[in-house]
Amino acid sequence: MTSDAASARPDPTDEVVDLCRDLLRIDTTNTGDNDTSAGERLAAEYVAEKLAEVGVEPVIHESAPGRANLVARIPGTDPTRGALLVHGHLDVVPADADEWSVHPFSGELRDGYLWGRGAIDMKDFDAMVLAVVRHWQRTGVRPPRDIVLAYTADEEAGSDYGAHFLVQRHRDLLDGCTEAIGEVGGFSYSVSDAQRLYLIETAEKGIDWLRLHARGRPGHGSMVHDDNAVTALAEAVARIGRHRFPVVVTDTVRAFLAEISDLLGVELDPDDPETAIAKLGPIANIIGATIRNTANPTRLAAGYKDNVIPGRATATIDCRSLPGQSELLERQLRELIGPDIAIEYIQRQPALETTFDGDLVDAMSAALRGEDPGARPVPYMLSGGTDAKAFSQLGIRCFGFAPLRLPADLNFSALFHGIDERVPVDGLQFGVRVLDRFLRTC
């Protein structure tokens, strides 16, 4: 190839900005209801087009009208090795444009950031992977092992129409995958100007979404009434919302806290990890949620007229359990709720935890240090859940590794499902360089 042709190739660190902006402009809002969700089909078709342009042949499978999932395989040089699954979801949570500084689906570039719903959850990673693969295809790079790309639907509502659908209905597309990387890992936390922790997700809490049902005697709102479903439910919800579950430090969190105490010179009291966590600034919210089970009321529904006492009332509780504690959490909740209110599980998916070792972890660490000499990779537990819950059912060892170098003053955790979600452009470009290094050597 001539030097002119080579120079005409798009630089992946430039192209990633355009790819991410295009994805942000596609509304893939997931409300949890197929009738009101925007659907992921347009985004999946966009990714398919960009892959096909460079010779990759993806397949798209819909789990329901508009709920599209894309899978493609990049052959590696050693077919005897297990494949690496690289997965990212295309759906996003709702956004109210009136609350934002920019329109949430504008993909606006401002102040060195790319703004929009999904900028860090997780169309940034979707674009990074796409930029790396397109660059490889143009330049003839082949990875050392097969890379399976999965762009999924429905992660924000439990993955039933996305990753779980692929695992249950199209398992053949994931044949040979032994390890995986996905979202919310590999991001930086600045300890000093010279050193940054990069948090690699090796564990995530379980999803235990509940609906509580209270029943009482219907009646007139003007009467004295001692069997009110709304009152019973409200009292139970208040007890849950104010409760703090006991501290339990898992292996992953213990390893993370040991690194932190060493770097910050803070003595770690195993009986009081919250003192050390409080010194972590913006990431304290994420880490603080991983030392105990949590239960947060999120929705209430009751009644049909102002002067009628309803016979039923319901509440939704977003519960997250530590590894191995889902059943314990249910017993703890039952004690709080009392015997007269029914519990219905909306989603119940297990917590995950793996060890921070092996060739894949070494490759992640080396790639980070190759782009940031001040990088110190550490394991951590994610307080939420990801598509890894589905893929782990196939025996795949899952990590969160979507690398970003972040400004020291950015409150990263507040951007997830938050207002004015945005990703630093130089962080996106850093992620492309790290992924390129990592995927060439993993």
Side-chain angles (χ1 to χ4, degrees):
M1 183 175 289
T2 67
S3 59
D4 288 343
S7 63
R9 298 186 191 122
D11 186 317
T13 58
D14 292 333
E15 188 177 36
V16 69
V17 179
D18 294 331
L19 294 170
C20 189
R21 181 166 49 194
D22 288 347
L23 286 169
L24 290 174
R25 288 172 173 170
I26 301 172
D27 184 352
T28 53
T29 297
N30 185 356
T31 64
D33 181 345
N34 284 351
D35 292 336
T36 56
S37 292
E40 299 86 356
R41 180 83 202 192
L42 288 178
E45 289 175 347
Y46 173 85
V47 174
E49 177 185 348
K50 293 300 181 182
L51 290 173
E53 281 179 359
V54 293
V56 177
E57 298 181 2
V59 295
I60 293 177
H61 289 287
E62 283 194 341
S63 51
R67 311 307 303 271
N69 299 274
L70 178 149
V71 181
R73 186 177 289 257
I74 314 297
T77 57
D78 185 354
T80 66
R81 292 188 59 194
L84 176 71
L85 173 63
V86 180
H87 60 93
H89 62 85
L90 294 170
D91 62 320
V92 299
V93 297
D96 183 347
D98 291 338
E99 297 176 332
W100 284 55
S101 302
V102 304
H103 193 282
F105 296 105
S106 66
E108 183 170 329
L109 275 168
R110 180 193 290 189
D111 302 327
Y113 287 82
L114 188 55
W115 299 60
R117 176 59 86 216
I120 52 98
D121 188 14
M122 59 173 302
K123 290 180 177 178
D124 58 338
F125 182 67
D126 294 339
M128 289 181 213
V129 173
L130 194 53
V132 170
V133 169
R134 282 168 60 85
H135 176 64
W136 282 5
Q137 291 294 112
R138 294 187 185 106
T139 56
V141 174
R142 288 186 65 191
R145 61 200 289 193
D146 282 9
I147 304 292
V148 176
L149 308 179
Y151 287 82
T152 62
D154 199 38
E155 191 275 344
E156 297 292 2
S159 307
D160 288 344
Y161 292 96
H164 284 294
F165 168 77
L166 290 177
V167 167
Q168 294 162 9
R169 300 283 298 277
H170 297 283
R171 186 172 299 199
D172 59 302
L173 297 175
L174 307 171
D175 279 352
C177 291
T178 56
E179 297 169 306
I181 61 168
E183 63 178 323
V184 204
F187 60 91
S188 68
Y189 166 74
S190 295
V191 178
S192 66
D193 290 341
Q195 191 163 53
R196 280 153 296 282
L197 293 182
Y198 283 85
L199 282 65
I200 296 175
E201 186 208 312
T202 59
E204 60 183 50
K205 294 178 78 174
I207 297 175
D208 302 80
W209 293 345
L210 304 177
R211 188 163 289 134
L212 306 185
H213 298 273
R215 293 183 177 273
R217 187 177 71 255
H220 198 289
S222 68
M223 304 292 182
V224 175
H225 205 90
D226 59 1
D227 187 16
N228 189 315
V230 175
T231 301
L233 182 74
E235 289 173 342
V237 167
R239 288 193 296 271
I240 292 171
R242 295 193 180 102
H243 185 72
R244 291 296 174 266
F245 294 88
V247 169
V248 177
V249 180
T250 63
D251 291 343
T252 296
V253 174
R254 184 176 293 106
F256 174 82
L257 292 175
E259 293 276 0
I260 284 292
S261 63
D262 177 50
L263 281 171
L264 299 182
V266 177
E267 185 176 351
L268 178 61
D269 181 352
D271 296 323
D272 181 26
E274 290 171 297
T275 297
I277 291 171
K279 300 180 183 298
L280 299 182
I283 64 168
N285 284 341
I286 293 179
I287 305 304
T290 63
I291 60 171
R292 53 166 49 92
N293 296 326
T294 58
N296 286 304
T298 56
R299 302 179 73 178
L300 295 168
Y304 49 88
K305 197 172 186 298
D306 293 347
N307 62 349
V308 176
I309 297 171
R312 291 181 294 180
T314 64
T316 303
I317 314 294
D318 183 347
C319 303
R320 308 293 173 130
S321 56
L322 294 170
Q325 295 220 353
S326 180
E327 292 184 1
L328 172 62
L329 175 59
E330 182 178 350
R331 293 195 298 270
Q332 292 170 331
L333 287 168
R334 173 51 68 196
E335 292 178 2
L336 289 169
I337 293 166
D340 298 328
I341 293 177
I343 294 176
E344 172 196 4
Y345 277 93
I346 306 169
Q347 287 281 347
R348 194 172 197 181
Q349 300 188 44
L352 304 177
E353 188 166 28
T354 187
T355 52
F356 190 61
D357 55 20
D359 292 343
L360 198 71
V361 170
D362 291 343
M364 293 179 203
S365 301
L368 287 166
R369 293 190 183 105
E371 293 298 327
D372 181 0
R376 182 165 174 173
V378 297
Y380 93 108
M381 178 184 292
L382 176 65
S383 59
T386 74
D387 280 338
K389 294 189 185 308
F391 297 127
S392 66
Q393 294 175 21
L394 301 180
I396 298 172
R397 188 183 183 206
C398 297
F399 296 87
F401 187 66
L404 284 173
R405 180 168 172 173
L406 302 169
D409 60 350
L410 180 66
N411 190 347
F412 185 58
S413 64
L415 298 178
F416 285 86
H417 299 187
I419 297 167
D420 288 343
E421 185 179 349
R422 60 198 182 277
V423 63
V425 170
D426 56 2
L428 263 180
Q429 295 171 328
F430 172 85
V432 168
R433 295 193 299 270
V434 172
L435 280 176
D436 183 42
R437 286 177 179 268
F438 166 68
L439 293 172
R440 286 174 187 255
T441 58
C442 68

